[in-house]
Structure formats: C-alpha cells, structure tokens
C-alpha cells in the first residue's frame, strides 16, 4: 500500500497552534527500481550509466533483502547470482516471515478481525518490499477480503495497480483499475484524484493517449501521487499525451495557459508546443527531435516515442495544410525546412494511409487539400479494413481445408 502523506508540525509561540505542513510521499522503491531497470535496458544510454543503474539495483536489493526481485531481475537481464548473498537474504526473509506468521496466528486465535487484517497487511507490505510479486498479490487479495471499509480496500487496489506498473504487467494493472472503479462510488475525494492519476498513467502506458490525457489533465491541480512520479514528470507525461489528441483551442486553454504546466520544469516540451501553436514550422522538427530524445529516458513513454513523433508530424502537417486550398511542395518544404524529396516521401506515406486529407500532383508539384465528409472517410476505411479481414479469413479457410 502506498505510504500515507507525512506531516511536519510547527508551533506558533503566541497562539500555541499547530500547523501541519504536508510533505510529498516518497517514490515507491519498486517504481524507483523500474526506472533503473529501464535505464539499464535502454540502448540510448551509455555504458557508464548502465553500469551505474545496475549497481544501484543491486545495492537496493542487497540492502533490503530483495531476493525474489533480484531473481526476477537476473532472469530478465541474464545476470549471475551470488549464491552466498542469496542464501543470506533468503534466511533473513524466512525469519521475518516466521515472525509475521506468528503474529497472524496469534491474531486469528486471540484477537479480532482488525488485528487479523493488520497482520495480513503487514505480510503484504513485506512481500511488496522484497519484490515478491505473486506472494504480495496473494496477501493483497486476502487482506482485501477481510477489509470492509471502502478506503482501505481502494488503497489495496492502488497497490495492485502500482505492482502492475512496477513489473510492467498490464493485466495486473488493468484488474486493479477495474476493481478500484467498482469501489470508487464510496471513495473519498483524495482517492478519486489518485485513481485518475493511476488510471491515466496506465492508459498512457498502453498507448491510449486520449483516455490517459483526459484523466491526467483532470488531475493537474490536485496531483498527490508522488509514489508514482514527481510533479515535473507528471506534467511532462500529461503534456506529451495531450499534444496529439487536443484541439488547437484546448491546447491553448489546458496546456499553454495552465499555471501548473508553466510552473513545471519542462522547457523542451513547452517549447515544442509553443512553436506548434504559433505556427513556427521551421522550428518544429528540431524541437520535436529534442523532445523525442528526452522521452526515450522516461519509462512510461519510451516505447511510444516513434508513435508520438508520427502523430505530431500528422498534427503539424494538417495544421499547415488547413490554411490553404492549394500549396506547392517547394513552399511547404521551405516552411518546414525539409528537403522537397524527403517531404514528398513523408506526405506520400501519410496520404496513402489516409492520415492527411490532401492530394499531390507530382507534375505541377502542388498539394491540394480537401475537406472531406468524415462519414465518407469512415465508410471507406471500414470497407478497406473489411476487405483485408475477408482476405485473411479466406486464407485461413484454405489452410484449414488442406
């Protein structure tokens, strides 16, 4: 279960009043390890940083007796295990588990349901801390079955979502989101906001930028999920997920004019959005390249960098062409600072994939835009996809008859 918000107490000498100042919740150790795993696995990171990430992973595992997690890591990266240290950690964990089992047995025999639940929760948190995914999920569900109040049940759902994210298991995260929604009708305001962040990150992780951005944008002013990420990273992910899906007016209102976005340290991404909104097309692709290089280091977005690049390219080309009924290839090339043959190839691919509503005349080197009926576009797309599906079914039927 994610740790609760900490507080620092100050006392006024005159009025003797206490004031609680909330401190950010520290990032979950499993999420920190997820970032380190990503750094180690990335092909865009130099060898020294990869070795540094490996050293930090091993130190965290050894310091907290994370034998199950270390086995998971070593299997993923083909690292060799130090048997002596593994045996030492296993012995420590076995002793700790005996203590937790004794506590649970005593609660079951001599105490009430509250104490039983607390004992189960302690085992759940122990397995989470040592990175034993399956055992943590097992006791998480058992603890949930002993929990009546909606708030603590939701906290257990949040833990399952976090585990799914930390171990890159989308099914676990999806089940946690589903269970949380089922309970949220009785949830409080804080947990509703936390669910928006957790669910939004999950949708970004599976490349549903539209649903993810809606949830994350709705959480900007109430962000309180620092166990997943810090505020700057949250804003960056929100902005990146929103850019390909927001309209121009919404981009201005919800991103460019947002005080939370403007206060975050995301100058490269903010510069990209600014040049797109202000139609400074010659700067777009250099700014986009800088942002994409940065996104490769962010675990939640690294696998979507190429997708993001393609979607932003469609966005800026469409925005440019919407201003004209016809434009020459050379004029568009000059506006974007892209050589005509490269631009020709880009546009040809996008037009053939029906991503841009225009036609190219290679004789006159002109591009003619048209405002097609969206229903007509959808109809032709359905027919095209239907033909592909029928062809595949026919191939399968022929194979079945052989």
């Amino acid at each position: 279960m994610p740790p609760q918000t900490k507080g620092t107490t100050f006392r006024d000498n005159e009025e003797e009043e206490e004031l609680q100042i909330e401190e950010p919740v520290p990032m979950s150790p499993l999420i920190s390890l997820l970032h380190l795993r990503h750094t180690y696995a990335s092909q865009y990171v130099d060898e020294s940083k990869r070795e540094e990430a490996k050293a930090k992973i091993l130190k965290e595992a050894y310091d907290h007796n994370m034998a199950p997690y270390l086995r998971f890591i070593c299997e993923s990266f083909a690292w060799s295990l130090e048997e002596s240290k593994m045996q030492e950690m296993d012995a420590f964990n076995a002793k700790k588990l005996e203590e937790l089992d004794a506590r649970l047995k005593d609660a079951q025999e001599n105490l009430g349901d509250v104490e039983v639940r607390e004992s189960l929760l302690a085992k759940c948190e122990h397995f989470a801390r040592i990175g034993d995914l399956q055992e943590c999920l097992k006791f998480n569900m058992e603890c949930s079955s002993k929990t009546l109040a909606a708030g603590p049940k939701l906290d257990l759902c949040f833990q399952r979502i976090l585990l799914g994210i930390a171990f890159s298991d989308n099914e676990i995260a999806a089940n946690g989101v589903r269970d949380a929604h089922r309970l949220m009708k009785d949830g409080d305001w804080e947990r509703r906001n936390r669910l928006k962040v957790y669910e939004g990150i999950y949708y970004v992780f599976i490349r549903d930028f539209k649903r993810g951005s809606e949830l994350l944008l709705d959480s900007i002013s109430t962000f309180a999920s620092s166990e997943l990420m810090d505020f700057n990273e949250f804003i960056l992910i929100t902005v990146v997920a929103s850019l390909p899906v927001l309209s121009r007016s919404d981009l201005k209102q919800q991103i460019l004019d947002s005080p939370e976005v403007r206060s975050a340290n995301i100058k490269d991404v903010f510069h990209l959005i600014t040049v797109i909104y202000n139609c400074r097309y010659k700067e777009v692709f250099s700014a986009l390249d800088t942002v994409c290089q940065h996104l490769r280091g962010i675990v939640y977005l690294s696998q979507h960098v190429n997708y993001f690049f393609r979607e932003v390219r469609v966005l800026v080309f469409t925005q440019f062409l919407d201003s004209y009924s016809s434009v020459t290839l050379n004029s568009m090339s000059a506006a974007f600072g892209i050589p005509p043959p490269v631009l020709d190839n880009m546009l040809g691919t996008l037009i053939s994939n029906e991503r841009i509503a225009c036609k190219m005349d290679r004789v006159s080197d002109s591009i003619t835009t048209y405002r097609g009926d969206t229903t007509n576009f959808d109809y032709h797309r359905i027919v095209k996809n239907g033909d592909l599906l029928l062809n595949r079914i026919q191939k399968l039927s022929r194979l079945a008859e052989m």
Side-chain angles (χ1 to χ4, degrees), residues 264-326:
N265 184 20
I266 55 165
K267 61 179 183 179
D268 290 338
V269 178
F270 195 82
H271 174 65
L272 172 63
I273 295 176
T274 302
V275 298
I276 291 174
Y277 184 81
N278 292 330
C279 304
R280 287 151 43 193
Y281 296 115
K282 193 163 285 189
E283 301 176 43
V284 166
F285 282 99
S286 61
L288 180 58
D289 180 65
T290 301
V291 169
C292 287
Q293 295 303 322
H294 180 57
L295 297 186
R296 295 189 191 281
I298 299 176
V299 65
Y300 303 110
L301 294 170
S302 61
Q303 59 186 332
H304 309 309
V305 171
N306 292 337
Y307 169 80
F308 176 73
F309 180 88
R310 292 194 301 269
E311 292 303 306
V312 172
R313 185 176 61 179
V314 170
L315 172 69
V316 294
F317 284 168
T318 302
Q319 179 176 293
F320 176 85
L321 292 170
D322 279 347
S323 304
Y324 302 92
S325 60
S326 179

Side-chain angles (χ1 to χ4, degrees), residues 4-32:
Q4 300 301 312
T5 304
K6 298 179 180 179
T8 303
T9 303
F10 294 92
R11 185 176 294 277
D12 191 300
N13 291 330
E14 296 180 358
E15 300 180 1
E16 294 293 321
E17 293 181 352
E18 291 186 349
L19 178 65
Q20 291 289 331
I21 305 298
E22 291 188 349
E23 297 176 356
V25 177
M27 183 178 290
S28 164
L30 290 176
I31 297 297
S32 298

Side-chain angles (χ1 to χ4, degrees), residues 248-267:
R248 183 176 169 82
S249 58
D250 288 339
L251 194 68
K252 170 71 171 172
Q253 180 182 354
Q254 299 186 51
I255 301 296
L256 288 174
D257 291 343
S258 168
E260 289 84 6
V261 173
R262 298 181 75 90
S263 67
N265 184 20
I266 55 165
K267 61 179 183 179

